[in-house]
Amino acid sequence: MQRLFTGFFLIGIAGALIQLFGGDLQAPSRVVAALWEAADLAVQVSLGLIGILALWSGLFRLAEQSRLADRLAGAVRPVLARLMPALDRDPSAGAGVSMNLAANMLGLDNAATPLGLKAMEALQRGNHEPTRASDSQIMFLVLNTSSVTLVPVTVLMYRAQQGAADPAVVYLPMLMATTVSTFVGVWLTARVQKIRLRDPLLIAVAVGWLALLGLLALGVWLAPPALSATLSSLVGNLILLAVIGAFFYAAWRAKVDSYDCFVEGAKEGFTLAIKLIPYLVAMLAAIAMLRASGVLEGALGLIRHGAAALGWDTRFVDALPVAFLKPLSGSGARAAMLDVMQAHGVDSLAGRMAAVMQGSTETTFYVLAVYFGSVGIRDFRYALGCGLAAAAAGLVSAILLSYAFFG
């Protein structure tokens, strides 16, 4: 991350100097002005997120306190046992893995990471080569880098903050893109590990999930063009309402004081919004340097020219900064998404595509470094290749699905 951050600034400065020597005397002032604007934008975005973050942090606290995540973990555990045979030999590891993936599915980011670290530690106890990743650890990492998130609050939150007419319109294509990412990651890892995927339970879960997504997508695509976006939004909003209803119902069943629990969770959302400011300032400023110096547009111009030569629609190129940064840096990809929304409009094809890209996968290098680094693993084996393949599948799917839904 240090090299990426430093490189962005140095390349931006070099681009400004090249423009200056080329006769553009305004280039240095334009780049410096972009820095100030990016810093102001980061603060405005973070402060604008306080209310939405507080709302969803409060709702997620209901899911945690009512043990809804635990019950979801129990439901997914039989599936995980087929993909990670080592879990049958270590029930404690199985519980940690299940709870981590359940937290990811519910969008409980604050809970997912510590649960994931505990799960990796438990898996490490059964690892006979402590510095080399085991098969189960690699499958766990791939599932984390590509896991399906039923409540992609972060992306919807940024769209709402940027003034989207309907933040949830990207929900269905986002869910489909992350499904593709997960399926590709699991299939490739299973092929390498020689895990049998023709298991009745795995087939039933995969077919059921794909059938559900297929029916939803078919309804949207068969609708008249004027109604397709409305139906996509309707599906997304209904699912979100169903999830919120499940949170409150679970809290009621568990006799949790929903009001006090919600308020305590909302306090964390306020703190989180403030903590976001330094990260957004750093990455928005770096991307602003690249854009103002002409470097970013030059690189995208080359890709656009190549795509046009192949006869492709070139509008996807505007959203590519998110795709480039997503495997490397979560904060960088988030800043790139905001930059695309600011430059092209939150409800433009590029703005919506950037949002779908952001929600299609996790940050491969970050997950790999944190999870494997926490237990001292230095030999990643094929984990990085499988994780990047899953990420690539998700990002390509995000482009194609955005064209299908919004293009």
Side-chain angles (χ1 to χ4, degrees):
M1 189 60 208
Q2 177 188 353
R3 295 189 184 95
L4 183 70
F5 179 64
T6 303
F8 279 6
F9 270 88
L10 294 179
I11 293 171
I13 293 171
L17 291 176
I18 290 172
Q19 287 184 333
L20 175 63
F21 295 145
D24 185 356
L25 299 181
Q26 299 301 314
S29 61
R30 187 167 58 248
V31 172
V32 172
L35 278 178
W36 308 149
E37 292 172 5
D40 287 340
L41 175 62
V43 175
Q44 292 170 19
V45 168
S46 295
L47 294 180
L49 291 175
I50 289 176
I52 304 172
L53 271 174
L55 170 66
W56 282 98
S57 295
L59 291 171
F60 285 157
R61 178 60 69 89
L62 294 178
E64 291 176 308
Q65 294 298 315
S66 65
R67 315 297 290 180
L68 180 61
D70 293 348
R71 289 195 288 275
L72 183 57
V76 301
R77 187 169 178 177
V79 176
L80 294 176
R82 268 75 169 179
L83 299 176
M84 304 167 66
L87 297 186
D88 287 335
R89 300 190 294 271
D90 188 351
S92 63
V97 170
S98 300
M99 290 182 66
N100 164 261
L101 294 177
N104 273 326
M105 291 174 70
L106 290 175
L108 301 170
D109 294 337
N110 291 338
T113 300
L115 286 171
L117 294 176
K118 291 178 182 177
M120 188 62 75
E121 184 178 334
L123 290 170
Q124 182 72 348
R125 287 197 295 267
N127 186 2
H128 301 299
E129 299 179 78
T131 62
R132 190 169 187 259
S134 68
D135 286 352
S136 293
Q137 287 172 320
I138 292 173
M139 180 65 81
F140 179 58
L141 179 123
V142 171
L143 287 170
N144 263 273
T145 60
S146 63
S147 59
V148 175
T149 302
L150 297 178
V151 194
V153 170
T154 304
V155 176
L156 302 184
M157 175 177 69
Y158 279 107
R159 279 182 48 78
Q161 197 276 338
Q162 290 296 303
D166 192 339
V169 75
V170 300
Y171 183 91
L172 184 55
M174 195 187 310
L175 196 60
M176 296 174 73
T178 193
T179 296
V180 172
S181 173
T182 300
F183 276 37
V184 169
V186 168
W187 173 81
L188 184 58
T189 308
R191 284 290 300 271
V192 176
Q193 296 182 0
K194 296 181 172 56
I195 293 174
R196 179 176 172 269
L197 293 180
R198 293 181 180 178
D199 180 273
L201 178 60
L202 294 179
I203 292 174
V205 170
V207 170
W209 181 252
L210 290 176
L212 176 61
L213 287 182
L215 286 174
L216 293 175
L218 187 63
V220 171
W221 288 333
L222 290 180
L227 293 178
S228 60
T230 302
L231 285 177
S232 177
S233 167
L234 178 62
V235 169
N237 284 311
L238 284 176
I239 293 175
L240 289 175
L241 287 176
V243 170
I244 294 172
F247 287 176
F248 277 99
Y249 178 72
W252 174 72
R253 286 288 303 271
K255 294 182 171 56
V256 172
D257 186 330
S258 59
Y259 179 77
D260 286 343
C261 183
F262 177 91
V263 170
E264 286 302 310
K267 291 177 183 177
E268 293 182 2
F270 178 86
T271 304
L272 180 59
I274 302 303
K275 287 181 178 179
L276 281 174
I277 293 177
Y279 300 100
L280 281 178
V281 168
M283 293 311 302
L284 279 175
I287 294 172
M289 289 280 289
L290 293 179
R291 185 176 289 281
S293 65
V295 173
L296 181 60
E297 187 53 42
L300 295 180
L302 290 175
I303 298 173
R304 188 177 287 108
H305 180 74
L310 294 172
W312 297 353
D313 186 309
T314 61
R315 290 176 294 165
F316 75 94
V317 176
D318 294 325
L320 284 184
V322 180
F324 293 153
L325 287 171
K326 187 61 182 176
L328 300 170
S329 165
S331 59
R334 184 166 54 242
M337 177 184 69
L338 286 169
D339 182 71
V340 171
M341 290 177 179
Q342 286 280 315
H344 301 282
V346 66
D347 281 324
S348 65
L349 176 63
R352 289 176 172 178
M353 189 180 292
V356 177
M357 285 180 174
Q358 180 70 6
S360 64
T361 64
E362 262 298 335
T363 309
T364 305
F365 284 93
Y366 171 80
V367 173
L368 186 118
V370 171
Y371 281 24
F372 281 174
S374 68
V375 292
I377 289 175
R378 294 190 295 274
D379 183 359
F380 300 159
R381 299 172 67 199
Y382 50 86
L384 179 59
C386 290
L388 289 176
L395 292 167
V396 171
S397 299
I399 293 172
L400 298 177
L401 288 164
S402 295
Y403 273 116
F405 278 86
F406 314 121

Coordinates of all heavy atoms in Angstrom, one line a residue, residues 283-362:
M283 N -6.5 8.6 -0.2 CA -6.7 8.0 -1.5 C -7.3 8.9 -2.5 O -7.0 8.9 -3.7 CB -7.5 6.7 -1.4 CG -6.7 5.6 -0.7 SD -5.0 5.3 -1.3 CE -5.3 4.9 -3.0
L284 N -8.3 9.7 -2.1 CA -8.9 10.7 -3.0 C -7.9 11.7 -3.5 O -7.9 12.1 -4.7 CB -10.1 11.4 -2.3 CG -11.4 10.6 -2.3 CD1 -12.4 11.4 -1.4 CD2 -11.9 10.4 -3.7
A285 N -7.0 12.1 -2.6 CA -5.9 13.0 -3.0 C -5.0 12.4 -4.1 O -4.6 13.0 -5.1 CB -5.1 13.5 -1.8
A286 N -4.6 11.1 -3.8 CA -3.7 10.4 -4.8 C -4.4 10.3 -6.1 O -3.8 10.5 -7.2 CB -3.4 9.1 -4.2
I287 N -5.7 9.9 -6.1 CA -6.4 9.7 -7.4 C -6.6 11.1 -8.1 O -6.5 11.2 -9.3 CB -7.7 9.0 -7.2 CG1 -7.4 7.5 -6.7 CG2 -8.5 8.9 -8.5 CD1 -8.6 6.8 -6.3
A288 N -6.8 12.1 -7.3 CA -7.0 13.4 -7.9 C -5.7 13.9 -8.6 O -5.8 14.5 -9.6 CB -7.4 14.4 -6.8
M289 N -4.6 13.5 -8.0 CA -3.3 13.9 -8.6 C -3.2 13.2 -10.0 O -2.8 13.9 -11.0 CB -2.1 13.4 -7.8 CG -1.9 14.2 -6.5 SD -1.0 15.7 -6.7 CE 0.6 15.1 -7.1
L290 N -3.6 11.9 -10.1 CA -3.5 11.2 -11.4 C -4.5 11.8 -12.4 O -4.1 12.0 -13.6 CB -3.8 9.7 -11.2 CG -2.8 8.9 -10.3 CD1 -3.3 7.5 -10.2 CD2 -1.4 9.0 -11.0
R291 N -5.7 12.2 -11.9 CA -6.7 12.7 -12.9 C -6.3 14.1 -13.3 O -6.3 14.4 -14.5 CB -8.1 12.7 -12.2 CG -9.2 13.1 -13.2 CD -10.5 13.0 -12.5 NE -10.9 11.7 -12.3 CZ -11.5 10.9 -13.3 NH1 -11.6 11.3 -14.5 NH2 -11.8 9.6 -12.9
A292 N -5.9 15.0 -12.4 CA -5.6 16.4 -12.8 C -4.3 16.5 -13.6 O -4.2 17.4 -14.5 CB -5.5 17.2 -11.5
S293 N -3.4 15.5 -13.4 CA -2.1 15.6 -14.2 C -2.3 15.0 -15.6 O -1.3 15.0 -16.4 CB -1.0 14.9 -13.4 OG -1.3 13.5 -13.3
G294 N -3.4 14.4 -15.9 CA -3.7 13.8 -17.2 C -3.2 12.4 -17.3 O -3.4 11.7 -18.3
V295 N -2.5 11.8 -16.2 CA -2.0 10.5 -16.3 C -3.1 9.4 -16.4 O -3.1 8.5 -17.2 CB -1.1 10.2 -15.1 CG1 -0.6 8.7 -15.1 CG2 0.1 11.1 -15.1
L296 N -4.1 9.6 -15.5 CA -5.2 8.6 -15.5 C -6.0 8.6 -16.8 O -6.2 7.6 -17.4 CB -6.2 9.0 -14.3 CG -7.4 8.0 -14.2 CD1 -6.9 6.6 -13.9 CD2 -8.3 8.5 -13.0
E297 N -6.3 9.8 -17.3 CA -7.0 9.9 -18.6 C -6.2 9.3 -19.7 O -6.7 8.7 -20.7 CB -7.4 11.3 -18.9 CG -8.3 11.5 -20.1 CD -9.6 10.6 -20.0 OE1 -10.2 10.5 -18.9 OE2 -9.9 10.0 -21.1
G298 N -4.8 9.5 -19.7 CA -4.0 9.0 -20.7 C -4.0 7.5 -20.7 O -4.1 6.8 -21.8
A299 N -3.9 6.9 -19.5 CA -3.9 5.4 -19.4 C -5.3 4.8 -19.9 O -5.3 3.9 -20.6 CB -3.6 5.0 -18.0
L300 N -6.3 5.5 -19.4 CA -7.7 5.0 -19.8 C -7.9 5.3 -21.3 O -8.6 4.5 -22.0 CB -8.7 5.8 -19.0 CG -8.8 5.5 -17.5 CD1 -9.9 6.3 -16.8 CD2 -8.9 4.0 -17.2
G301 N -7.3 6.3 -21.9 CA -7.4 6.6 -23.3 C -6.8 5.5 -24.1 O -7.4 5.1 -25.2
L302 N -5.7 5.0 -23.7 CA -5.1 3.8 -24.4 C -6.0 2.6 -24.4 O -6.2 2.0 -25.4 CB -3.7 3.5 -23.8 CG -2.6 4.5 -24.0 CD1 -1.4 4.1 -23.2 CD2 -2.3 4.7 -25.4
I303 N -6.6 2.3 -23.2 CA -7.5 1.2 -23.2 C -8.7 1.4 -24.0 O -9.2 0.6 -24.7 CB -7.9 0.9 -21.7 CG1 -6.6 0.6 -20.9 CG2 -8.9 -0.2 -21.6 CD1 -6.9 0.5 -19.4
R304 N -9.2 2.7 -24.0 CA -10.4 3.0 -24.8 C -10.1 2.9 -26.2 O -11.0 2.4 -27.0 CB -10.8 4.5 -24.4 CG -12.2 4.9 -25.0 CD -12.6 6.3 -24.6 NE -13.0 6.3 -23.2 CZ -12.3 6.9 -22.2 NH1 -11.1 7.4 -22.5 NH2 -12.8 6.9 -21.0
H305 N -9.0 3.3 -26.7 CA -8.6 3.1 -28.1 C -8.5 1.7 -28.5 O -9.0 1.3 -29.6 CB -7.2 3.8 -28.3 CG -6.7 3.7 -29.7 ND1 -7.3 4.5 -30.7 CD2 -5.8 3.0 -30.3 CE1 -6.7 4.2 -31.9 NE2 -5.8 3.3 -31.7
G306 N -7.9 0.8 -27.6 CA -7.8 -0.6 -27.9 C -9.2 -1.2 -28.0 O -9.5 -2.1 -28.9
A307 N -10.1 -0.8 -27.0 CA -11.5 -1.4 -27.0 C -12.2 -1.0 -28.3 O -13.0 -1.8 -28.9 CB -12.2 -0.9 -25.8
A308 N -12.0 0.3 -28.7 CA -12.7 0.8 -29.9 C -12.2 0.1 -31.1 O -13.0 -0.3 -32.1 CB -12.5 2.3 -30.0
A309 N -10.9 -0.2 -31.2 CA -10.3 -1.0 -32.3 C -10.9 -2.4 -32.4 O -11.0 -2.9 -33.5 CB -8.8 -1.0 -32.2
L310 N -11.3 -2.9 -31.3 CA -12.0 -4.3 -31.3 C -13.5 -4.2 -31.6 O -14.1 -5.2 -31.6 CB -11.7 -5.0 -30.0 CG -10.2 -5.3 -29.7 CD1 -10.1 -5.8 -28.3 CD2 -9.7 -6.4 -30.7
G311 N -14.0 -3.0 -31.7 CA -15.4 -2.8 -31.9 C -16.3 -2.9 -30.7 O -17.5 -3.1 -30.8
W312 N -15.6 -2.7 -29.5 CA -16.4 -2.8 -28.2 C -17.0 -1.4 -27.9 O -16.4 -0.4 -28.3 CB -15.5 -3.2 -27.1 CG -14.9 -4.6 -27.2 CD1 -15.3 -5.6 -28.2 CD2 -13.9 -5.2 -26.4 NE1 -14.5 -6.7 -28.0 CE2 -13.7 -6.5 -26.9 CE3 -13.2 -4.8 -25.3 CZ2 -12.8 -7.4 -26.3 CZ3 -12.3 -5.7 -24.7 CH2 -12.1 -7.0 -25.2
D313 N -18.0 -1.4 -27.1 CA -18.5 -0.2 -26.4 C -17.5 0.2 -25.4 O -17.1 -0.6 -24.6 CB -19.9 -0.5 -25.8 CG -20.5 0.7 -25.2 OD1 -19.8 1.5 -24.5 OD2 -21.7 1.0 -25.5
T314 N -17.1 1.5 -25.4 CA -15.9 1.9 -24.6 C -16.4 2.6 -23.3 O -15.5 3.0 -22.5 CB -15.1 2.9 -25.4 OG1 -15.8 4.0 -25.7 CG2 -14.5 2.2 -26.6
R315 N -17.7 2.6 -23.0 CA -18.1 3.3 -21.8 C -17.6 2.7 -20.5 O -17.5 3.3 -19.5 CB -19.6 3.5 -21.8 CG -20.2 4.4 -22.8 CD -21.7 4.4 -22.8 NE -22.2 3.1 -23.2 CZ -23.5 2.7 -23.0 NH1 -24.4 3.5 -22.4 NH2 -23.9 1.5 -23.4
F316 N -17.3 1.4 -20.6 CA -16.9 0.7 -19.4 C -15.5 1.2 -18.9 O -15.1 1.0 -17.7 CB -16.8 -0.8 -19.6 CG -15.6 -1.3 -20.5 CD1 -14.4 -1.7 -19.9 CD2 -15.7 -1.2 -21.9 CE1 -13.3 -2.1 -20.6 CE2 -14.6 -1.6 -22.6 CZ -13.4 -2.1 -22.0
V317 N -14.8 1.8 -19.8 CA -13.4 2.2 -19.5 C -13.4 3.3 -18.3 O -12.5 3.3 -17.5 CB -12.7 2.8 -20.7 CG1 -11.3 3.4 -20.4 CG2 -12.6 1.8 -21.8
D318 N -14.5 4.1 -18.3 CA -14.6 5.1 -17.2 C -14.6 4.6 -15.8 O -14.2 5.2 -14.9 CB -15.8 6.0 -17.5 CG -15.7 6.8 -18.8 OD1 -14.6 7.2 -19.1 OD2 -16.7 7.0 -19.4
A319 N -15.1 3.3 -15.7 CA -15.2 2.7 -14.4 C -14.0 1.8 -14.0 O -13.9 1.3 -12.9 CB -16.5 1.9 -14.3
L320 N -13.0 1.7 -14.9 CA -11.9 0.8 -14.7 C -11.0 1.1 -13.6 O -10.4 0.2 -13.0 CB -11.1 0.6 -16.0 CG -11.7 -0.2 -17.1 CD1 -10.7 -0.3 -18.3 CD2 -12.1 -1.6 -16.6
P321 N -10.8 2.4 -13.2 CA -10.0 2.6 -12.0 C -10.4 1.8 -10.8 O -9.6 1.4 -10.0 CB -10.2 4.2 -11.7 CG -10.4 4.7 -13.1 CD -11.2 3.7 -13.8
V322 N -11.7 1.6 -10.6 CA -12.2 0.7 -9.5 C -11.7 -0.7 -9.7 O -11.2 -1.3 -8.7 CB -13.7 0.8 -9.4 CG1 -14.2 -0.1 -8.2 CG2 -14.2 2.2 -9.2
A323 N -11.8 -1.2 -10.9 CA -11.3 -2.6 -11.1 C -9.8 -2.7 -10.9 O -9.4 -3.8 -10.4 CB -11.7 -3.0 -12.6
F324 N -9.0 -1.7 -11.3 CA -7.6 -1.8 -11.1 C -7.2 -1.8 -9.6 O -6.3 -2.5 -9.2 CB -6.9 -0.6 -11.8 CG -7.0 -0.7 -13.3 CD1 -7.0 0.5 -14.0 CD2 -7.2 -1.9 -14.0 CE1 -7.1 0.5 -15.4 CE2 -7.3 -1.9 -15.4 CZ -7.2 -0.7 -16.1
L325 N -7.9 -1.0 -8.8 CA -7.5 -0.8 -7.4 C -8.2 -1.9 -6.5 O -7.7 -2.1 -5.4 CB -7.9 0.6 -6.9 CG -7.0 1.7 -7.5 CD1 -7.6 3.0 -7.1 CD2 -5.6 1.6 -6.9
K326 N -9.3 -2.5 -6.9 CA -10.0 -3.4 -6.0 C -9.2 -4.5 -5.4 O -9.3 -4.8 -4.2 CB -11.3 -3.9 -6.8 CG -12.2 -4.7 -5.9 CD -12.8 -3.9 -4.7 CE -13.7 -4.7 -3.8 NZ -14.1 -3.9 -2.7
P327 N -8.4 -5.2 -6.2 CA -7.6 -6.3 -5.6 C -6.5 -5.8 -4.7 O -6.0 -6.5 -3.8 CB -7.0 -7.0 -6.8 CG -7.8 -6.6 -8.0 CD -8.2 -5.2 -7.7
L328 N -6.1 -4.5 -4.8 CA -5.0 -4.0 -4.1 C -5.3 -3.3 -2.8 O -4.6 -3.5 -1.8 CB -4.2 -3.0 -5.0 CG -3.6 -3.6 -6.3 CD1 -3.1 -2.5 -7.2 CD2 -2.5 -4.6 -6.0
S329 N -6.4 -2.5 -2.9 CA -6.7 -1.6 -1.7 C -8.2 -1.4 -1.6 O -8.8 -0.8 -2.6 CB -5.9 -0.3 -1.9 OG -6.4 0.7 -1.0
G330 N -8.8 -1.7 -0.5 CA -10.2 -1.4 -0.3 C -10.4 0.1 -0.2 O -11.4 0.6 -0.9
S331 N -9.6 0.8 0.5 CA -9.8 2.3 0.6 C -9.5 2.9 -0.8 O -10.2 3.9 -1.2 CB -8.9 2.9 1.6 OG -7.5 2.6 1.3
G332 N -8.6 2.4 -1.5 CA -8.3 2.9 -2.9 C -9.4 2.7 -3.8 O -9.8 3.6 -4.6
A333 N -10.0 1.5 -3.8 CA -11.1 1.2 -4.7 C -12.3 2.1 -4.3 O -13.1 2.6 -5.2 CB -11.5 -0.3 -4.6
R334 N -12.5 2.2 -3.0 CA -13.7 3.1 -2.6 C -13.5 4.5 -3.0 O -14.4 5.2 -3.5 CB -13.7 3.0 -1.0 CG -14.9 3.8 -0.4 CD -15.1 3.4 1.0 NE -13.9 3.5 1.8 CZ -13.3 2.5 2.4 NH1 -13.7 1.3 2.4 NH2 -12.2 2.8 3.2
A335 N -12.3 5.0 -2.9 CA -12.0 6.4 -3.4 C -12.2 6.5 -4.9 O -12.7 7.5 -5.4 CB -10.6 6.8 -3.0
A336 N -11.7 5.5 -5.6 CA -11.9 5.5 -7.1 C -13.4 5.5 -7.4 O -13.8 6.1 -8.4 CB -11.2 4.2 -7.7
M337 N -14.2 4.7 -6.7 CA -15.6 4.7 -7.0 C -16.2 6.1 -6.8 O -17.0 6.6 -7.6 CB -16.3 3.7 -6.0 CG -17.8 3.6 -6.2 SD -18.6 2.5 -5.0 CE -18.3 3.4 -3.4
L338 N -15.8 6.7 -5.7 CA -16.3 8.1 -5.4 C -15.9 9.1 -6.5 O -16.6 9.9 -7.0 CB -15.8 8.6 -4.1 CG -16.5 8.0 -2.8 CD1 -15.8 8.3 -1.6 CD2 -18.0 8.4 -2.8
D339 N -14.6 8.9 -7.0 CA -14.1 9.7 -8.0 C -14.9 9.5 -9.3 O -15.2 10.5 -10.0 CB -12.6 9.4 -8.2 CG -12.0 10.3 -9.3 OD1 -11.8 11.5 -9.0 OD2 -11.7 9.8 -10.4
V340 N -15.2 8.3 -9.7 CA -16.0 8.0 -10.9 C -17.4 8.7 -10.7 O -17.9 9.3 -11.7 CB -16.1 6.5 -11.1 CG1 -17.1 6.2 -12.2 CG2 -14.7 5.9 -11.5
M341 N -18.0 8.5 -9.6 CA -19.3 9.1 -9.4 C -19.3 10.6 -9.5 O -20.2 11.2 -10.0 CB -19.8 8.7 -8.0 CG -20.2 7.2 -7.8 SD -20.7 6.9 -6.2 CE -21.1 5.1 -6.3
Q342 N -18.2 11.2 -9.0 CA -18.1 12.7 -9.0 C -17.8 13.1 -10.5 O -18.4 14.1 -10.9 CB -16.9 13.1 -8.2 CG -17.2 13.1 -6.7 CD -18.0 14.3 -6.2 OE1 -17.7 15.4 -6.6 NE2 -19.0 14.1 -5.4
A343 N -17.0 12.4 -11.2 CA -16.6 12.8 -12.6 C -17.7 12.5 -13.6 O -17.9 13.3 -14.5 CB -15.3 12.1 -13.0
H344 N -18.5 11.5 -13.4 CA -19.4 11.1 -14.5 C -20.9 11.1 -14.0 O -21.8 10.9 -14.8 CB -19.1 9.7 -15.0 CG -17.7 9.6 -15.5 ND1 -17.4 10.0 -16.8 CD2 -16.5 9.1 -15.0 CE1 -16.1 9.8 -17.0 NE2 -15.5 9.3 -16.0
G345 N -21.1 11.2 -12.7 CA -22.5 11.2 -12.2 C -22.8 9.9 -11.5 O -22.5 8.8 -12.0
V346 N -23.4 9.9 -10.4 CA -23.7 8.7 -9.6 C -24.6 7.8 -10.3 O -24.6 6.5 -10.2 CB -24.2 9.1 -8.2 CG1 -25.6 9.8 -8.3 CG2 -24.3 7.9 -7.3
D347 N -25.5 8.3 -11.1 CA -26.5 7.5 -11.8 C -26.2 7.3 -13.3 O -27.0 6.8 -14.1 CB -27.9 8.0 -11.7 CG -28.5 7.7 -10.4 OD1 -28.3 6.6 -9.8 OD2 -29.2 8.6 -9.8
S348 N -24.9 7.6 -13.7 CA -24.5 7.3 -15.1 C -24.1 5.9 -15.1 O -24.0 5.2 -14.1 CB -23.2 8.2 -15.4 OG -22.1 7.8 -14.5
L349 N -23.9 5.3 -16.4 CA -23.5 4.0 -16.5 C -22.2 3.7 -15.8 O -22.1 2.7 -15.0 CB -23.4 3.6 -18.0 CG -22.9 2.2 -18.2 CD1 -23.8 1.1 -17.7 CD2 -22.6 1.9 -19.7
A350 N -21.2 4.6 -15.9 CA -19.9 4.4 -15.2 C -20.1 4.5 -13.7 O -19.5 3.7 -13.0 CB -19.0 5.5 -15.7
G351 N -21.0 5.4 -13.2 CA -21.2 5.5 -11.8 C -21.8 4.2 -11.2 O -21.4 3.7 -10.1
R352 N -22.8 3.7 -11.9 CA -23.4 2.4 -11.5 C -22.5 1.2 -11.6 O -22.5 0.4 -10.7 CB -24.7 2.2 -12.2 CG -25.8 3.2 -11.9 CD -27.1 3.0 -12.7 NE -28.2 3.8 -12.3 CZ -29.4 3.9 -12.9 NH1 -29.6 3.2 -14.0 NH2 -30.3 4.6 -12.4
M353 N -21.8 1.2 -12.7 CA -20.8 0.1 -12.9 C -19.7 0.1 -11.8 O -19.3 -1.0 -11.3 CB -20.2 0.2 -14.3 CG -19.3 -1.0 -14.7 SD -18.6 -0.7 -16.4 CE -20.1 -0.8 -17.4
A354 N -19.3 1.3 -11.5 CA -18.2 1.4 -10.4 C -18.8 0.8 -9.1 O -18.1 0.1 -8.4 CB -17.8 2.8 -10.2
A355 N -20.1 1.1 -8.8 CA -20.7 0.6 -7.6 C -20.8 -0.9 -7.6 O -20.5 -1.6 -6.6 CB -22.1 1.2 -7.4
V356 N -21.2 -1.5 -8.8 CA -21.3 -2.9 -8.9 C -19.9 -3.6 -8.8 O -19.8 -4.6 -8.1 CB -22.0 -3.3 -10.2 CG1 -22.0 -4.8 -10.4 CG2 -23.4 -2.7 -10.3
M357 N -18.9 -3.0 -9.4 CA -17.5 -3.5 -9.2 C -17.1 -3.5 -7.7 O -16.5 -4.5 -7.3 CB -16.6 -2.6 -10.0 CG -16.6 -2.8 -11.5 SD -15.4 -1.7 -12.3 CE -15.5 -2.2 -14.0
Q358 N -17.4 -2.4 -7.1 CA -17.0 -2.3 -5.7 C -17.6 -3.4 -4.8 O -17.0 -3.9 -3.9 CB -17.4 -0.9 -5.1 CG -17.0 -0.7 -3.7 CD -15.6 -0.5 -3.4 OE1 -14.8 -0.5 -4.4 NE2 -15.2 -0.4 -2.2
G359 N -18.9 -3.8 -5.1 CA -19.6 -4.8 -4.3 C -19.4 -6.2 -4.8 O -19.9 -7.2 -4.3
S360 N -18.6 -6.4 -5.9 CA -18.5 -7.7 -6.5 C -17.5 -8.7 -5.8 O -17.6 -9.9 -5.9 CB -18.1 -7.6 -8.0 OG -16.9 -7.0 -8.2
T361 N -16.4 -8.1 -5.2 CA -15.4 -8.9 -4.6 C -14.8 -8.2 -3.4 O -15.1 -7.0 -3.2 CB -14.2 -9.2 -5.6 OG1 -13.6 -7.9 -5.9 CG2 -14.6 -9.9 -6.8
E362 N -14.0 -8.9 -2.7 CA -13.2 -8.2 -1.6 C -11.8 -7.9 -2.1 O -11.5 -8.1 -3.2 CB -13.1 -9.2 -0.4 CG -14.2 -8.9 0.7 CD -14.0 -7.5 1.3 OE1 -12.9 -6.9 1.3 OE2 -15.0 -7.0 1.8

